[in-house]
Amino acid sequence: MARLAGGEGVMPSDGGRARGRRGRGGGGGAEARRALRSSGTAAKNRFIERRIPPYEILTEEGLALVEQNAETVLEEIGIEFREDPEALALWKEAGADVQGERVRFPRGLCRKLCETIPSGFTQHARNPERSVVIGGNSTVFAPVYGPPFVRDLEGGRRYATIEDFQNFVKLAYMAPALHHSGGTVCEPVDIPVNKRHLDMVYAHLRYSDLPFMGSVTAPERAEDSVAMAKLVFGADFVENNTVMINLINANSPMTFDATMLGALKVYARHNQACIVTPFILSGAMAPVTPVGVMTQTLAEAMAGLAFSQLVRPGAPMVLGSFASSISMQSGAPTFGTPEPALVLYGMAALARRLGVPFRSGGSLCGSKVPDAQAAHESSQTLLPTVLGGVNFVLHSAGWLEGGLVSSYEKFVIDADQLGMMQTFAQGYDLSENGQAMDALREVGPGSHFLGCAHTQANFETAFYRSSIADNNSFEQWEAEGAQDAYQRANGIYKKMLADYQAPALDPAHDEALQAFIRERRDAMPDAFS
């Protein structure tokens, strides 16, 4: 892997191997294993190391055309960098044409600057066994990000609180197929806007030992996130390693605002990773065609990525793409449609050609509840995510109602699907055991494989077994309450939270974090807007 940051040049060979989660069979042993999975205490999977090739759609000529058009956008139309004189000065010094807040770039300038971005890097977790590699053949699943509302079966739709936030951090920590704690898993509106980032970062550090995301809603909140990370990881370690990844959205079309630029500068200067993502609703914030969306996305993303390298050459970055179609009747975003999948496949290939990690996809839907619409739309997003070779997957679990809601039940349902993708991404087993010639020889014509030695030896690991799906007889299903997947997921998430046990955190680190939070809270009045 070229330009691999953080001194972690080799991905573990078992990076994505699902262990102990795929058994089938009857009896108490199987039920005990199912209960273990449902409780959230099953073995945690490492990040996925894909053993299947990425699905390529665009030809070389098509990819080159999009790249050429993106360079034309950068050169002729330009990108606005608003209310940030430092950014404009850096671009002028780099040779760009700066007129007011509009920056136009000589052809090839942004691509050249992106050459110092690592093609992959390790994001270190406070538990080293949970560290992840972002780039290359790896895929990292992170939960939903940003909803102001939460939903569960009994409580319905309501504003999120810090208790909800902590719950989703705990669920991500316990779910075997989630590799990352995420960031704003929901927006805790019961805490002042200018202080809630302190509680959110603390929750990631206290209730999980997975990698996590920092705050980007103001530069000073990004600084607080870095300071809190240093209290746990050590100042020198943070400055020389990546312990946070952070979401920087372009204000499409073709604009970066001062808030995002300020946060980006903070994290880049401290060697912390950022995902530069144009947030696009096709037809509203970009053209309606997939190629037009890809052209604009590549131009905006390259401008943001290149800017990070003016701040600190070599800072780890990720090219992000979030593209949704819209309803031409209502203007609402739609998910699971073919056009965003086409954008994802193309942007993944363009990121690989640029030599940087790629973020996109997830389990996206517009449905209001975890129903058939939610399932279909989420699967139509998740499959392209895995097939396309996405490296960092935000919104992998829990997304509902176009991103307005974090759903407890859908979190569990999505996490089950992520486990399936973990298995699928391993591809074929071509070992002697995988070839199964001994089974074919033992059974021969006209018999069955249920009792043969090979089947018995692979009994527990041969197939993925869902913790959500019910494959019992109708009579057994009815006797057990005739529950649908929504109801089963409700029971599973409650059991996971009931069984949760916090990972160990050095008491001195915890005390330092709480003292820092008290000091920062006392330094400013509450603000709710």
Side-chain angles (χ1 to χ4, degrees):
M1 182 185 293
R3 308 200 313 272
L4 184 68
E8 299 286 340
V10 179
M11 294 189 224
S13 61
D14 65 340
R17 191 178 302 277
R19 296 181 292 274
R21 298 193 67 243
R22 295 172 293 183
R24 284 180 68 94
E31 290 307 312
R33 287 188 296 274
R34 179 167 180 166
L36 181 64
R37 288 192 298 272
S38 300
S39 74
T41 56
K44 193 77 171 175
N45 292 332
R46 296 294 304 277
F47 61 89
I48 294 174
E49 185 181 2
R50 294 187 310 277
R51 296 186 176 92
I52 56 175
Y55 185 51
E56 299 274 7
I57 294 181
L58 264 180
T59 63
E60 168 67 28
E61 292 76 15
L63 293 167
L65 177 64
V66 173
E67 291 172 336
Q68 178 183 352
N69 289 346
E71 290 286 358
T72 299
V73 170
L74 291 169
E75 181 183 39
E76 296 182 8
I77 303 171
I79 306 291
E80 287 197 358
F81 286 73
R82 293 183 177 172
E83 299 180 8
D84 193 326
E86 181 186 19
L88 299 173
L90 286 170
W91 276 122
K92 189 170 185 179
E93 184 180 352
D97 176 22
V98 180
Q99 301 294 329
E101 294 184 326
R102 183 77 64 91
V103 181
R104 294 177 175 85
F105 311 85
R107 297 185 82 86
L109 174 61
C110 289
R111 184 169 290 271
K112 180 67 176 177
L113 289 169
C114 288
E115 290 179 359
T116 56
I117 297 175
S119 63
F121 59 91
T122 296
Q123 185 185 354
H124 295 272
R126 69 178 183 87
N127 177 354
E129 293 184 1
R130 304 290 185 239
S131 297
V132 296
V133 171
I134 299 173
N137 290 326
S138 70
T139 292
V140 174
F141 288 138
V144 61
Y145 185 108
F149 300 100
V150 297
R151 173 182 281 277
D152 66 1
L153 186 59
E154 292 87 5
R157 186 182 191 264
R158 54 185 172 76
Y159 279 108
T161 66
I162 189 60
E163 182 180 2
D164 293 308
F165 188 98
Q166 293 165 354
N167 284 342
F168 279 108
V169 170
K170 294 172 183 178
L171 290 173
Y173 167 68
M174 299 179 78
L178 267 294
H179 315 121
H180 202 280
S181 194
T184 308
V185 289
C186 61
E187 190 77 30
V189 299
D190 55 337
I191 299 175
V193 170
N194 60 332
K195 299 179 180 181
R196 65 181 59 153
H197 66 287
L198 300 168
D199 297 85
M200 292 191 288
V201 172
Y202 177 77
H204 285 299
L205 287 167
R206 179 65 190 90
Y207 300 113
S208 176
D209 60 5
L210 297 173
F212 68 100
M213 304 175 76
S215 175
V216 296
T217 52
E220 58 270 22
R221 296 169 198 168
E223 292 282 10
D224 285 344
S225 301
V226 173
M228 293 175 73
K230 288 182 175 181
L231 292 174
V232 174
F233 290 90
D236 290 342
F237 189 87
V238 169
E239 292 295 331
N240 293 287
N241 297 275
T242 299
V243 303
M244 282 185 292
I245 190 168
N246 311 280
L247 182 61
I248 304 297
N249 284 131
N251 190 4
S252 302
M254 293 166 279
T255 302
F256 284 90
D257 62 38
T259 299
M260 292 288 98
L261 290 172
L264 174 60
K265 288 188 291 187
V266 168
Y267 287 120
R269 285 181 174 131
H270 290 287
N271 196 44
Q272 301 309 301
C274 286
I275 310 163
V276 179
T277 302
F279 185 92
I280 287 176
L281 303 182
S282 305
M285 301 154 71
V288 296
T289 63
V291 171
V293 171
M294 290 161 55
T295 297
Q296 181 180 320
T297 298
L298 183 60
E300 292 177 358
M302 281 204 301
L305 294 170
F307 175 68
S308 74
Q309 302 306 290
L310 298 179
V311 176
R312 177 169 173 164
M317 293 287 142
V318 176
L319 190 160
S321 170
F322 184 98
S324 166
S325 52
I326 64 171
S327 166
M328 288 300 181
Q329 287 71 43
S330 68
T334 56
F335 301 93
T337 53
E339 296 81 9
L342 291 172
V343 172
L344 185 154
Y345 286 125
M347 287 307 305
L350 290 164
R352 287 190 287 270
R353 287 162 66 92
L354 190 61
V356 299
F358 180 58
R359 169 257 162 155
S360 193
S363 300
L364 311 182
C365 69
S367 182
K368 312 305 180 286
V369 295
D371 58 5
Q373 178 187 343
H376 284 301
E377 291 177 352
S378 294
S379 66
Q380 290 299 321
T381 309
L382 184 58
L383 277 171
T385 299
V386 175
L387 291 174
V390 177
N391 299 120
F392 188 82
V393 188
L394 205 54
H395 313 307
S396 293
W399 168 293
L400 203 62
E401 200 182 321
L404 289 175
V405 170
S406 294
S407 163
Y408 282 93
E409 289 86 5
K410 188 167 184 290
F411 188 100
V412 173
I413 295 169
D414 288 340
D416 183 57
Q417 294 296 306
L418 299 181
M420 296 186 187
M421 294 299 102
Q422 186 111 7
T423 299
F424 175 72
Q426 299 315 296
Y428 297 99
D429 176 8
L430 298 177
S431 68
E432 183 176 345
N433 182 69
Q435 295 173 56
M437 291 301 297
D438 53 341
L440 292 164
R441 290 188 180 99
E442 178 185 343
V443 174
S447 187
H448 65 78
F449 290 82
L450 291 174
C452 78
H454 184 271
T455 300
Q456 294 300 309
N458 290 276
F459 182 79
E460 293 190 9
T461 59
F463 307 116
Y464 181 91
R465 184 174 182 183
S466 170
S467 61
I468 295 294
D470 184 281
N471 298 304
N472 295 319
S473 67
F474 173 81
E475 291 77 14
Q476 185 173 349
W477 170 77
E478 191 172 45
E480 292 177 353
Q483 292 188 331
D484 60 20
Y486 193 0
Q487 294 167 315
R488 289 193 293 273
N490 177 267
I492 289 172
Y493 99 73
K494 290 177 178 176
K495 181 167 178 53
M496 290 173 70
L497 291 178
D499 292 345
Y500 168 82
Q501 294 182 0
L505 176 63
D506 186 323
H509 293 162
D510 193 19
E511 183 179 343
L513 286 168
Q514 294 192 50
F516 178 85
I517 292 171
R518 286 193 298 270
E519 180 181 347
R520 293 293 293 127
R521 280 177 177 158
D522 292 344
M524 51 186 163
D526 292 351
F528 283 92
S529 62

